[in-house]
Amino acid sequence: MHDVVILTDHRYENPKKIDWYIQQVLTEDNLLKLELEKLKLKVLIKDWKSKNFNWSSTKTVIFRSTWDYFDNYELFLKWLENTKSKTVFINSFDLINWNLDKSYLFDLNNKGVNIASTLLIKKNENISLKELFSQTNWNEAIIKPTISGAAKNTFRINKDNCHKYEALFKDLISTENFLFQEFLTDILINGEISIIIINGNYTHAVRKIAKKGDFRVQDDHGGTVEIYTPKKNEIEFSLKCVEACPVMPMYARVDIVYDNKGEISLGEIELIEPELWFRNKPKSAQLLALEIAKNL
């Protein structure tokens, strides 16, 4: 019997080759594992797709580096449904189910959380990018799937070059829902701020900056990450986002960007498998481990 299984994907369970990126993942997961083991808990790191593992043999599972779920979405949904009665999920099944689809942004916006101006484009909707730019009068926009990660199928377009993306856009929305969002220019200047919240409390933050010529801030796309000390209003905004969730999450990463009016806006709130940068503040792994232990 295990107390905690830290969920990962097959690339990080027992990698044969380790590059800088994989090492980061291993470091993060093992920092949490070490803190849980200090509390005398029996812990295992396991690929969520493991076919021969009995999920009833662990008291709880915590979603950490399951970064292939959006490439195996139907399988992931089936796994969630089949496993939720066998163990306890952290974060909870209801939160994960809500957070899987980025249309949750509209729920938070309805609760007073500022987001980038956004339209939901439903699967097979009969609309073009030219019509969307005409409708919104925006100069630039981002299109991205409502279910995705790591900037998959995410594109920056403008009203002058959108004709080059029309065929791709039509093809993409034939299979899934998309968001059409006003492009926030500050991400090119000051980047995206990620604020880590554990059990409703701020712990630490980083700022992610895209490489020159790109808008994607993820380090696997060449972006850089630096330790960041957030302003009081940035922390307060992040706590407001967490409090607006359907259920209070045990852990969350709130990604914020200043909008084109200079106001703080929510990019995403990550409740499923966010990188939490424990390596920048190891005590945050200890805090999360203590919360997990309390809930066993």
Side-chain angles (χ1 to χ4, degrees):
M1 187 73 185
H2 294 90
D3 294 303
V4 184
V5 169
I6 296 172
L7 294 176
T8 186
D9 74 41
H10 66 282
R11 294 169 293 179
Y12 313 122
E13 186 173 348
N14 289 299
K16 294 179 180 178
K17 293 183 180 180
I18 299 176
D19 59 16
W20 68 271
Y21 185 80
I22 291 175
Q23 185 57 61
Q24 283 187 170
V25 180
L26 300 180
T27 298
E28 288 290 308
D29 286 350
N30 279 289
L31 280 169
L32 180 59
K33 183 174 185 285
L34 178 62
E35 293 298 336
L36 289 164
E37 289 173 339
K38 286 180 182 178
L39 300 173
K40 310 301 181 184
L41 299 178
K42 190 175 180 182
V43 187
L44 181 68
I45 297 175
K46 199 73 181 168
D47 176 13
W48 66 273
K49 297 187 300 303
S50 297
K51 294 180 180 179
N52 299 320
F53 187 74
N54 178 9
W55 296 102
S56 299
S57 69
T58 181
K59 294 178 183 177
T60 189
V61 298
I62 180 165
F63 294 75
R64 292 307 314 121
S65 47
T66 53
W67 294 340
D68 62 347
Y69 80 85
F70 48 86
D71 291 322
N72 301 274
Y73 185 64
E74 294 302 324
L75 180 63
F76 188 64
L77 286 182
K78 185 177 179 180
W79 182 87
L80 289 173
E81 193 64 40
N82 291 341
T83 311
K84 68 178 182 178
S85 61
K86 298 177 181 178
T87 187
V88 174
F89 288 170
I90 301 173
N91 283 310
S92 70
F93 172 81
D94 288 341
L95 269 179
I96 290 169
N97 204 39
W98 174 76
N99 194 229
L100 277 171
D101 192 305
K102 297 184 198 322
S103 58
Y104 69 77
L105 288 168
F106 299 108
D107 295 338
L108 295 177
N109 188 230
N110 288 336
K111 292 184 177 181
V113 172
N114 185 39
I115 64 172
S117 297
T118 305
L119 297 178
L120 174 64
I121 312 303
K122 293 187 177 180
K123 178 181 173 182
N124 288 321
E125 187 169 340
N126 185 23
I127 196 164
S128 67
L129 291 171
K130 183 179 179 180
E131 289 170 323
L132 287 167
F133 275 108
S134 177
Q135 179 180 328
T136 59
N137 204 30
W138 301 339
N139 291 319
E140 283 193 279
I142 293 289
I143 56 171
K144 59 184 176 183
T146 61
I147 299 169
S148 71
K152 179 182 178 181
N153 287 334
T154 298
F155 301 93
R156 175 187 175 189
I157 55 179
N158 61 56
K159 61 183 180 181
D160 295 321
N161 72 3
C162 68
H163 64 280
K164 298 178 182 179
Y165 294 86
E166 291 288 12
L168 173 63
F169 180 63
K170 185 175 182 180
D171 184 55
L172 289 171
I173 64 172
S174 71
T175 59
E176 57 186 323
N177 295 346
F178 264 71
L179 297 181
F180 183 77
Q181 292 186 313
E182 183 178 21
F183 182 72
L184 304 185
T185 57
D186 195 62
I187 200 165
L188 301 176
I189 303 167
N190 294 307
E192 178 181 82
I193 300 163
S194 289
I195 295 182
I196 315 305
I197 308 292
I198 294 176
N199 194 35
N201 297 297
Y202 160 74
T203 62
H204 62 296
V206 299
R207 177 162 56 183
K208 297 170 287 183
I209 300 173
K211 71 179 181 180
K212 188 174 181 179
D214 206 336
F215 67 96
R216 298 169 299 178
V217 296
Q218 295 89 346
D219 54 10
D220 47 334
H221 289 295
T224 55
V225 180
E226 61 186 31
I227 295 173
Y228 179 77
T229 301
K231 300 169 186 173
K232 182 180 178 182
N233 62 334
E234 292 169 344
I235 295 174
E236 289 173 346
F237 178 86
S238 298
L239 292 173
K240 177 182 177 180
C241 293
V242 171
E243 290 164 2
C245 291
V247 181
M248 177 62 73
M250 187 180 292
Y251 60 93
R253 192 187 82 212
V254 183
D255 295 336
I256 62 176
V257 182
Y258 281 82
D259 68 17
N260 293 339
K261 296 178 182 177
E263 301 293 329
I264 301 172
S265 72
L266 175 66
E268 292 185 20
I269 184 166
E270 296 277 6
L271 308 178
I272 304 170
E273 31 60 63
E275 183 170 6
L276 297 176
W277 288 282
F278 292 138
R279 59 193 182 277
N280 289 350
K281 190 169 183 179
K283 189 177 179 181
S284 61
Q286 181 186 50
L287 292 172
L288 182 54
L290 287 168
E291 287 304 316
I292 293 169
K294 282 181 191 176
N295 286 270
L296 288 177

